[in-house]
Protein backbone atom coordinates (compact mmCIF):
# COMPACT_ATOMS: atom_id res chain seq x y z
CA UNK A 1 0.00 0.00 0.00
CA UNK A 2 2.82 2.43 0.85
CA UNK A 3 4.49 1.68 -2.50
CA UNK A 4 1.27 2.49 -4.35
CA UNK A 5 0.79 5.65 -2.29
CA UNK A 6 4.26 6.96 -3.14
CA UNK A 7 3.75 6.39 -6.84
CA UNK A 8 0.21 7.72 -6.81
CA UNK A 9 1.29 10.96 -5.17
CA UNK A 10 3.99 11.77 -7.69
CA UNK A 11 1.90 10.75 -10.70
CA UNK A 12 -0.95 12.92 -9.42
CA UNK A 13 1.51 15.80 -9.09
CA UNK A 14 2.78 15.15 -12.63
CA UNK A 15 -0.77 15.28 -14.00
CA UNK A 16 -1.46 18.57 -12.24
CA UNK A 17 1.76 20.10 -13.61
CA UNK A 18 0.56 19.22 -17.11
CA UNK A 19 -2.87 20.76 -16.52
CA UNK A 20 -1.39 23.95 -15.10
CA UNK A 21 1.10 24.30 -17.93
CA UNK A 22 -1.40 23.87 -20.74
CA UNK A 23 -4.47 25.63 -19.31
CA UNK A 24 -3.08 28.51 -17.28
CA UNK A 25 -2.67 31.81 -19.11
CA UNK A 26 0.47 32.54 -17.06
CA UNK A 27 2.11 29.73 -15.04
CA UNK A 28 4.24 32.30 -13.17
CA UNK A 29 1.21 34.15 -11.74
CA UNK A 30 -0.19 32.60 -8.56
CA UNK A 31 -3.52 34.34 -9.09
CA UNK A 32 -4.09 33.07 -12.65
CA UNK A 33 -6.48 30.16 -13.09
CA UNK A 34 -5.23 26.64 -13.74
CA UNK A 35 -7.66 23.69 -13.71
CA UNK A 36 -9.63 21.87 -11.04
CA UNK A 37 -7.62 20.14 -8.33
CA UNK A 38 -8.38 16.42 -8.44
CA UNK A 39 -8.04 15.53 -4.77
CA UNK A 40 -11.07 13.25 -4.86
CA UNK A 41 -13.10 11.13 -7.28
CA UNK A 42 -15.78 13.35 -8.79
CA UNK A 43 -19.15 11.77 -9.53
CA UNK A 44 -20.56 12.34 -12.99
CA UNK A 45 -23.36 14.74 -12.01
CA UNK A 46 -21.20 17.18 -10.03
CA UNK A 47 -21.28 20.43 -11.99
CA UNK A 48 -20.38 23.29 -9.71
CA UNK A 49 -16.60 23.27 -9.32
CA UNK A 50 -14.66 26.44 -10.21
CA UNK A 51 -11.08 26.40 -11.45
CA UNK A 52 -8.34 26.61 -8.86
CA UNK A 53 -5.57 29.19 -9.05
CA UNK A 54 -1.96 28.46 -9.93
CA UNK A 55 -1.00 29.17 -6.34
CA UNK A 56 -3.40 26.49 -5.11
CA UNK A 57 -2.11 24.10 -7.77
CA UNK A 58 1.55 24.64 -6.86
CA UNK A 59 0.78 24.15 -3.18
CA UNK A 60 -1.04 20.90 -3.97
CA UNK A 61 1.71 19.69 -6.32
CA UNK A 62 4.55 20.30 -3.88
CA UNK A 63 2.59 18.83 -0.99
CA UNK A 64 2.14 15.59 -2.98
CA UNK A 65 5.78 15.53 -4.01
CA UNK A 66 7.07 16.26 -0.51
CA UNK A 67 5.00 13.40 0.87
CA UNK A 68 6.20 11.07 -1.89
CA UNK A 69 9.85 11.99 -1.30
CA UNK A 70 9.47 11.42 2.45
CA UNK A 71 7.91 8.01 1.86
CA UNK A 72 10.62 7.02 -0.61
CA UNK A 73 13.31 8.09 1.83
CA UNK A 74 11.81 6.12 4.72
CA UNK A 75 11.42 3.01 2.57
CA UNK A 76 14.95 3.15 1.15
CA UNK A 77 13.87 1.64 -2.18
CA UNK A 78 16.36 1.91 -5.05
CA UNK A 79 15.11 4.14 -7.87
CA UNK A 80 13.83 2.31 -10.94
CA UNK A 81 12.92 4.40 -14.01
CA UNK A 82 10.12 1.97 -14.89
CA UNK A 83 8.25 2.98 -11.72
CA UNK A 84 7.66 6.12 -9.72
CA UNK A 85 10.84 6.90 -7.79
CA UNK A 86 12.50 9.55 -5.66
CA UNK A 87 14.59 10.93 -8.53
CA UNK A 88 11.47 11.57 -10.59
CA UNK A 89 9.72 13.20 -7.63
CA UNK A 90 12.66 15.56 -7.08
CA UNK A 91 12.85 16.27 -10.80
CA UNK A 92 9.16 17.17 -10.84
CA UNK A 93 9.78 19.69 -8.08
CA UNK A 94 12.50 21.26 -10.22
CA UNK A 95 10.15 21.35 -13.22
CA UNK A 96 7.28 22.85 -11.22
CA UNK A 97 9.50 25.58 -9.75
CA UNK A 98 10.83 26.35 -13.25
CA UNK A 99 7.28 26.70 -14.58
CA UNK A 100 6.51 29.10 -11.74
CA UNK A 101 9.67 31.09 -12.42
CA UNK A 102 11.06 30.36 -8.95
CA UNK A 103 14.55 29.62 -10.17
CA UNK A 104 16.18 29.68 -6.75
CA UNK A 105 14.28 26.54 -5.79
CA UNK A 106 14.30 25.10 -9.32
CA UNK A 107 18.09 25.11 -9.33
CA UNK A 108 18.28 23.57 -5.84
CA UNK A 109 16.11 20.61 -6.83
CA UNK A 110 17.67 20.17 -10.27
CA UNK A 111 21.13 20.07 -8.71
CA UNK A 112 19.94 17.59 -6.12
CA UNK A 113 18.91 15.21 -8.90
CA UNK A 114 22.17 15.78 -10.79
CA UNK A 115 24.30 15.22 -7.69
CA UNK A 116 22.43 12.44 -5.86
CA UNK A 117 20.53 10.35 -8.43
CA UNK A 118 23.57 8.26 -9.31
CA UNK A 119 22.91 8.88 -13.01
CA UNK A 120 25.03 10.41 -15.77
CA UNK A 121 24.29 11.94 -19.14
CA UNK A 122 24.31 9.16 -21.73
CA UNK A 123 27.23 8.90 -24.13
CA UNK A 124 26.51 8.66 -27.85
CA UNK A 125 25.98 4.89 -27.92
CA UNK A 126 23.80 4.90 -24.82
CA UNK A 127 21.79 7.86 -26.14
CA UNK A 128 20.97 5.87 -29.27
CA UNK A 129 19.91 2.98 -27.07
CA UNK A 130 17.46 5.17 -25.15
CA UNK A 131 15.44 5.92 -28.26
CA UNK A 132 16.11 3.06 -30.65
CA UNK A 133 16.18 -0.14 -28.59
CA UNK A 134 14.53 1.21 -25.44
CA UNK A 135 17.42 0.30 -23.18
CA UNK A 136 17.42 1.57 -19.60
CA UNK A 137 20.20 4.04 -20.19
CA UNK A 138 22.02 5.92 -17.45
CA UNK A 139 20.04 9.17 -17.71
CA UNK A 140 16.37 8.13 -17.78
CA UNK A 141 14.65 9.34 -14.60
CA UNK A 142 11.19 8.02 -15.43
CA UNK A 143 9.52 6.40 -18.41
CA UNK A 144 6.13 4.90 -19.17
CA UNK A 145 7.10 1.43 -20.27
CA UNK A 146 5.22 -0.19 -23.14
CA UNK A 147 5.02 -3.93 -23.67
CA UNK A 148 4.71 -6.00 -26.82
CA UNK A 149 1.01 -6.65 -26.25
CA UNK A 150 0.45 -2.88 -26.41
CA UNK A 151 2.10 -2.62 -29.82
CA UNK A 152 -0.85 -1.44 -31.87
CA UNK A 153 -1.84 1.65 -33.80
CA UNK A 154 -3.64 3.11 -30.81
CA UNK A 155 -1.05 2.51 -28.10
CA UNK A 156 2.52 2.55 -29.39
CA UNK A 157 4.82 5.55 -29.70
CA UNK A 158 6.22 5.44 -33.23
CA UNK A 159 2.69 5.34 -34.69
CA UNK A 160 2.38 9.03 -33.80
CA UNK A 161 4.51 9.65 -36.92
CA UNK A 162 4.33 6.41 -38.94
CA UNK A 163 1.70 3.88 -39.80
CA UNK A 164 4.10 0.92 -39.87
CA UNK A 165 7.74 1.71 -38.95
CA UNK A 166 10.22 4.61 -38.82
CA UNK A 167 11.35 4.69 -42.45
CA UNK A 168 10.48 6.11 -45.84
CA UNK A 169 8.57 2.91 -46.65
CA UNK A 170 6.90 2.85 -43.23
CA UNK A 171 4.06 5.14 -44.30
CA UNK A 172 5.16 8.37 -42.56
CA UNK A 173 2.53 10.87 -41.49
CA UNK A 174 4.95 13.69 -40.61
CA UNK A 175 8.55 14.74 -41.27
CA UNK A 176 11.32 16.56 -39.45
CA UNK A 177 10.85 20.27 -40.08
CA UNK A 178 13.37 21.91 -42.39
CA UNK A 179 14.14 24.48 -39.69
CA UNK A 180 15.06 21.77 -37.17
CA UNK A 181 17.00 19.81 -39.78
CA UNK A 182 19.04 22.90 -40.65
CA UNK A 183 20.13 23.31 -37.03
CA UNK A 184 21.37 19.71 -36.96
CA UNK A 185 22.68 19.26 -40.49
CA UNK A 186 23.29 22.73 -41.98
CA UNK A 187 25.64 21.34 -44.66
CA UNK A 188 22.93 18.97 -45.97
CA UNK A 189 25.17 15.93 -45.57
CA UNK A 190 23.78 12.65 -46.89
CA UNK A 191 21.47 11.28 -44.19
CA UNK A 192 22.93 7.77 -44.29
CA UNK A 193 26.30 9.08 -43.12
CA UNK A 194 25.14 11.36 -40.31
CA UNK A 195 26.41 8.97 -37.64
CA UNK A 196 29.98 9.46 -38.84
CA UNK A 197 29.86 12.89 -40.49
CA UNK A 198 28.06 14.98 -37.81
CA UNK A 199 29.54 14.94 -34.32
CA UNK A 200 26.27 15.70 -32.53
CA UNK A 201 24.54 12.33 -32.11
CA UNK A 202 21.17 14.07 -32.05
CA UNK A 203 21.37 14.66 -35.81
CA UNK A 204 21.51 10.90 -36.37
CA UNK A 205 18.84 10.32 -33.72
CA UNK A 206 16.35 12.76 -35.22
CA UNK A 207 16.96 12.52 -39.00
CA UNK A 208 16.38 9.08 -40.51
CA UNK A 209 19.18 7.52 -42.60
CA UNK A 210 16.85 6.95 -45.55
CA UNK A 211 15.88 10.63 -45.71
CA UNK A 212 16.29 12.32 -49.09
CA UNK A 213 18.08 15.59 -48.42
CA UNK A 214 17.92 18.16 -51.21
CA UNK A 215 20.64 20.86 -50.79
CA UNK A 216 18.69 22.99 -53.26
CA UNK A 217 15.33 22.54 -51.58
CA UNK A 218 14.77 26.31 -51.44
CA UNK A 219 14.53 26.52 -55.24
CA UNK A 220 13.23 23.04 -55.98
CA UNK A 221 10.07 23.02 -58.13
CA UNK A 222 8.96 19.82 -56.36
CA UNK A 223 10.25 20.29 -52.80
CA UNK A 224 7.76 17.86 -51.27
CA UNK A 225 9.24 14.96 -53.22
CA UNK A 226 12.87 16.04 -53.53
CA UNK A 227 13.37 16.70 -49.81
CA UNK A 228 12.03 14.00 -47.48
CA UNK A 229 13.16 14.25 -43.85
CA UNK A 230 12.22 11.07 -42.01
CA UNK A 231 11.80 11.07 -38.22
CA UNK A 232 14.22 8.58 -36.68
CA UNK A 233 13.98 9.19 -32.94
CA UNK A 234 11.78 6.39 -31.67
CA UNK A 235 12.70 2.90 -32.79
CA UNK A 236 14.96 4.05 -35.64
CA UNK A 237 18.43 2.97 -36.78
CA UNK A 238 21.98 4.24 -37.28
CA UNK A 239 22.09 3.74 -41.08
CA UNK A 240 20.17 1.95 -43.81
CA UNK A 241 22.09 -1.27 -43.13
CA UNK A 242 20.79 -1.28 -39.57
CA UNK A 243 17.64 -2.93 -38.28
CA UNK A 244 14.55 -0.83 -37.61
CA UNK A 245 13.77 -1.82 -34.04
CA UNK A 246 10.16 -0.65 -33.82
CA UNK A 247 7.40 -1.65 -36.18
CA UNK A 248 3.68 -2.19 -35.96
CA UNK A 249 3.30 -5.92 -35.58
CA UNK A 250 1.67 -8.20 -33.04
CA UNK A 251 3.81 -8.38 -29.88
CA UNK A 252 6.52 -6.38 -31.65
CA UNK A 253 9.01 -3.93 -30.16
CA UNK A 254 7.37 -0.95 -28.53
CA UNK A 255 9.22 2.17 -27.33
CA UNK A 256 8.51 3.57 -23.88
CA UNK A 257 7.53 7.19 -23.34
CA UNK A 258 10.42 9.07 -21.74
CA UNK A 259 8.76 11.38 -19.24
CA UNK A 260 11.92 12.81 -17.69
CA UNK A 261 15.64 12.56 -18.42
CA UNK A 262 18.66 13.91 -16.59
CA UNK A 263 19.40 16.41 -19.36
CA UNK A 264 16.26 18.33 -18.36
CA UNK A 265 17.85 19.03 -14.99
CA UNK A 266 20.89 20.57 -16.70
CA UNK A 267 18.57 22.70 -18.82
CA UNK A 268 16.73 23.89 -15.70
CA UNK A 269 20.07 24.84 -14.14
CA UNK A 270 20.84 26.79 -17.32
CA UNK A 271 17.49 28.61 -16.96
CA UNK A 272 18.32 29.50 -13.37
CA UNK A 273 21.70 30.86 -14.46
CA UNK A 274 20.03 32.92 -17.21
CA UNK A 275 17.57 34.36 -14.72
CA UNK A 276 20.53 35.41 -12.54
CA UNK A 277 22.47 36.83 -15.54
CA UNK A 278 25.20 34.25 -14.89
CA UNK A 279 26.04 33.77 -18.56
CA UNK A 280 29.14 31.67 -17.92
CA UNK A 281 26.90 29.37 -15.85
CA UNK A 282 24.47 29.07 -18.77
CA UNK A 283 27.32 27.99 -21.03
CA UNK A 284 28.64 25.52 -18.46
CA UNK A 285 25.27 23.78 -18.07
CA UNK A 286 24.72 23.53 -21.82
CA UNK A 287 28.30 22.39 -22.36
CA UNK A 288 27.69 19.40 -20.06
CA UNK A 289 24.88 18.21 -22.34
CA UNK A 290 26.76 18.92 -25.57
CA UNK A 291 29.91 17.15 -24.35
CA UNK A 292 27.83 13.99 -23.90
CA UNK A 293 26.05 14.34 -27.24
CA UNK A 294 29.23 15.16 -29.19
CA UNK A 295 31.34 12.56 -27.40
CA UNK A 296 34.10 15.04 -26.74
CA UNK A 297 34.74 18.32 -24.95
CA UNK A 298 33.25 21.17 -26.96
CA UNK A 299 33.58 24.93 -26.68
CA UNK A 300 30.38 26.77 -25.75
CA UNK A 301 30.66 30.55 -25.78
CA UNK A 302 28.84 32.38 -23.02
CA UNK A 303 25.84 34.38 -24.30
CA UNK A 304 26.26 38.14 -24.38
CA UNK A 305 23.06 39.07 -22.53
CA UNK A 306 19.88 37.65 -21.02
CA UNK A 307 17.94 37.52 -24.27
CA UNK A 308 20.77 35.61 -25.94
CA UNK A 309 20.96 33.29 -22.93
CA UNK A 310 17.27 32.42 -23.10
CA UNK A 311 17.54 31.95 -26.86
CA UNK A 312 20.50 29.58 -26.40
CA UNK A 313 18.50 27.53 -23.89
CA UNK A 314 15.36 27.47 -26.04
CA UNK A 315 17.34 26.30 -29.08
CA UNK A 316 19.17 23.63 -27.08
CA UNK A 317 15.95 22.31 -25.61
CA UNK A 318 14.46 22.14 -29.10
CA UNK A 319 17.24 19.82 -30.25
CA UNK A 320 17.54 17.80 -27.05
CA UNK A 321 13.82 17.13 -26.57
CA UNK A 322 12.57 17.01 -30.18
CA UNK A 323 9.53 14.73 -30.53
CA UNK A 324 9.29 14.25 -26.76
CA UNK A 325 6.46 16.73 -26.13
CA UNK A 326 8.32 19.75 -24.71
CA UNK A 327 8.25 22.33 -27.50
CA UNK A 328 4.83 23.93 -26.89
CA UNK A 329 5.52 24.60 -23.22
CA UNK A 330 9.09 25.68 -23.94
CA UNK A 331 7.93 28.42 -26.30
CA UNK A 332 5.10 29.39 -23.96
CA UNK A 333 7.49 29.68 -21.00
CA UNK A 334 10.65 30.99 -22.63
CA UNK A 335 9.68 32.47 -25.99
CA UNK A 336 9.15 36.05 -24.81
CA UNK A 337 12.36 35.98 -22.76
CA UNK A 338 14.28 34.69 -25.78
CA UNK A 339 12.45 36.94 -28.27
CA UNK A 340 11.89 33.76 -30.27
CA UNK A 341 8.67 31.97 -31.12
CA UNK A 342 7.81 29.39 -33.74
CA UNK A 343 10.92 29.04 -35.88
CA UNK A 344 10.07 27.67 -39.30
CA UNK A 345 11.78 27.55 -42.63
CA UNK A 346 9.51 28.83 -45.43
CA UNK A 347 9.64 25.29 -46.84
CA UNK A 348 7.83 24.03 -43.76
CA UNK A 349 4.65 25.70 -45.00
CA UNK A 350 4.34 23.52 -48.08
CA UNK A 351 1.19 21.45 -48.33
CA UNK A 352 -0.82 19.44 -50.81
CA UNK A 353 -2.15 22.65 -52.34
CA UNK A 354 0.78 25.00 -51.75
CA UNK A 355 4.26 23.91 -52.78
CA UNK A 356 7.20 25.94 -51.49
CA UNK A 357 8.08 28.67 -52.29
CA UNK A 358 4.48 29.61 -53.02
CA UNK A 359 3.79 30.94 -49.52
CA UNK A 360 5.46 31.98 -46.29
CA UNK A 361 2.66 32.96 -43.89
CA UNK A 362 3.25 34.60 -40.54
CA UNK A 363 3.89 32.41 -37.52
CA UNK A 364 1.61 32.41 -34.49
CA UNK A 365 2.75 35.43 -32.45
CA UNK A 366 3.90 34.96 -28.89
CA UNK A 367 1.11 37.29 -27.79
CA UNK A 368 -1.59 34.96 -29.13
CA UNK A 369 -4.17 33.60 -26.70
CA UNK A 370 -3.67 30.22 -28.40
CA UNK A 371 -0.57 29.55 -26.30
CA UNK A 372 -3.13 28.67 -23.63
CA UNK A 373 -5.42 25.77 -24.47
CA UNK A 374 -9.22 26.10 -24.24
CA UNK A 375 -11.21 24.44 -21.49
CA UNK A 376 -12.91 21.51 -23.33
CA UNK A 377 -16.59 21.78 -24.22
CA UNK A 378 -17.20 18.56 -22.33
CA UNK A 379 -16.35 20.53 -19.19
CA UNK A 380 -17.96 23.88 -19.97
CA UNK A 381 -21.21 22.23 -21.08
CA UNK A 382 -21.84 20.61 -17.69
CA UNK A 383 -19.91 22.67 -15.14
CA UNK A 384 -21.73 25.91 -14.36
CA UNK A 385 -18.79 27.30 -12.35
CA UNK A 386 -16.02 26.73 -14.87
CA UNK A 387 -14.44 29.79 -16.52
CA UNK A 388 -13.30 29.55 -20.15
CA UNK A 389 -9.90 30.91 -21.11
CA UNK A 390 -9.75 34.27 -22.94
CA UNK A 391 -10.20 34.21 -26.71
CA UNK A 392 -12.25 31.02 -26.95
Amino acid sequence: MQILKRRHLQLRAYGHILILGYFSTDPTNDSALAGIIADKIYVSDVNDFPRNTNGQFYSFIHNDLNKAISLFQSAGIAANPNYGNINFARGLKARAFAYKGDYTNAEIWANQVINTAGLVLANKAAYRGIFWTDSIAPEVLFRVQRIGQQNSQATNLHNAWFSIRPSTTGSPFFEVSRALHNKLNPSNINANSLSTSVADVRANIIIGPDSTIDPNYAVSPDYKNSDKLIINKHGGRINTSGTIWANTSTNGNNNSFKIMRLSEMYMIVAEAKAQASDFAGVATAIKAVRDARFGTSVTVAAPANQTAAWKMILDERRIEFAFEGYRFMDIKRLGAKANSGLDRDPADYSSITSNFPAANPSNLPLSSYKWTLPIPNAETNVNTEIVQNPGY
Side-chain angles (χ1 to χ4, degrees):
M1 181 64 69
Q2 288 296 319
I3 293 175
L4 290 175
K5 184 176 182 180
R6 289 189 292 269
R7 293 168 180 166
H8 165 76
L9 287 168
Q10 67 179 172
L11 290 176
R12 186 167 70 174
Y14 169 65
H16 282 77
I17 292 172
L18 288 176
I19 291 171
L20 185 153
Y22 286 121
F23 294 101
S24 173
T25 55
D26 180 5
T28 67
N29 182 354
D30 275 348
S31 298
L33 296 178
I36 299 173
I37 290 177
D39 58 352
K40 63 176 83 60
I41 297 175
Y42 293 93
V43 296
S44 59
D45 60 348
V46 171
N47 63 357
D48 57 353
F49 278 87
R51 293 168 65 182
N52 294 99
T53 65
N54 288 344
Q56 292 169 324
F57 254 64
Y58 284 124
S59 177
F60 184 74
I61 288 164
H62 287 296
N63 185 54
D64 270 0
L65 293 174
N66 290 339
K67 288 179 180 177
I69 290 168
S70 178
L71 289 169
F72 279 121
Q73 287 174 324
S74 62
I77 299 175
N80 184 331
N82 291 327
Y83 304 95
N85 63 82
I86 192 169
N87 296 334
F88 179 48
R90 289 169 172 163
L92 284 175
K93 285 185 70 69
R95 183 184 288 182
F97 279 125
Y99 277 22
K100 182 176 169 56
D102 180 353
Y103 282 111
T104 298
N105 281 305
E107 184 175 12
I108 288 171
W109 285 97
N111 275 327
Q112 185 168 19
V113 176
I114 291 169
N115 296 327
T116 68
L119 303 176
V120 295
L121 291 168
N123 62 26
K124 295 173 75 167
Y127 194 69
R128 290 183 175 109
I130 292 175
F131 297 105
W132 291 348
T133 59
D134 216 38
S135 61
I136 301 180
E139 72 167 66
V140 178
L141 294 170
F142 180 65
R143 66 181 190 172
V144 176
Q145 192 174 19
R146 314 300 291 168
I147 59 177
Q149 289 79 0
Q150 294 168 317
N151 190 32
S152 66
Q153 290 278 354
T155 58
N156 66 18
L157 180 53
H158 68 270
N159 276 142
W161 297 282
F162 300 90
S163 176
I164 302 170
R165 66 182 65 86
S167 69
T168 302
T169 59
S171 186
F173 303 135
F174 302 99
E175 295 183 23
V176 179
S177 76
R178 242 301 162 173
L180 177 57
H181 168 276
N182 289 351
K183 290 183 181 295
L184 294 160
N185 183 25
S187 299
N188 291 299
I189 292 169
N190 183 282
N192 199 37
S193 64
L194 286 175
S195 63
T196 56
S197 300
V198 176
D200 189 343
V201 68
R202 294 171 296 189
N204 187 212
I205 285 286
I206 294 171
I207 303 166
D210 56 342
S211 297
T212 302
I213 298 175
D214 182 359
N216 300 310
Y217 74 93
V219 294
S220 170
D222 189 18
Y223 158 75
K224 293 191 295 292
N225 291 306
S226 69
D227 199 60
K228 299 178 181 179
L229 308 177
I230 304 303
I231 300 169
N232 199 44
K233 192 159 193 178
H234 303 286
R237 53 185 171 166
I238 193 166
N239 53 47
T240 54
S241 298
T243 301
I244 300 174
W245 188 80
N247 63 79
T248 307
S249 59
T250 303
N251 295 336
N253 293 322
N254 195 354
N255 289 90
S256 62
F257 292 76
K258 282 60 176 188
I259 304 300
M260 182 175 285
R261 297 189 285 109
L262 188 63
S263 56
E264 181 182 353
M265 299 299 105
Y266 283 89
M267 291 293 98
I268 289 174
V269 170
E271 291 181 32
K273 299 300 185 184
Q275 183 69 20
S277 296
D278 179 358
F279 305 134
V282 172
T284 297
I286 290 178
K287 173 178 165 58
V289 175
R290 289 189 188 173
D291 283 353
R293 306 308 179 229
F294 281 68
T296 187
S297 179
V298 299
T299 299
V300 179
N305 52 54
Q306 266 197 327
T307 301
W310 290 115
K311 173 64 171 171
M312 178 184 286
I313 293 166
L314 187 60
D315 286 349
E316 195 70 23
R317 289 182 66 97
R318 181 183 190 182
I319 294 171
E320 177 66 18
F321 302 118
F323 305 106
E324 294 183 63
Y326 286 76
R327 183 64 172 164
F328 179 90
M329 278 304 301
D330 284 351
I331 296 177
K332 178 175 179 175
R333 294 189 308 113
L334 308 179
K337 295 174 182 287
N339 192 29
S340 178
L342 291 174
D343 176 17
R344 292 174 175 164
D345 188 282
D348 293 328
Y349 294 104
S350 63
S351 66
I352 294 175
T353 58
S354 176
N355 188 63
F356 173 75
N360 184 13
S362 299
N363 285 317
L364 185 71
L366 291 169
S367 59
S368 174
Y369 66 87
K370 293 181 181 179
W371 289 107
T372 301
L373 299 187
I375 304 301
N377 288 338
E379 186 71 32
T380 59
N381 286 342
V382 298
N383 189 342
T384 58
E385 295 296 319
I386 202 77
V387 176
Q388 181 58 274
N389 277 323
Y392 293 102

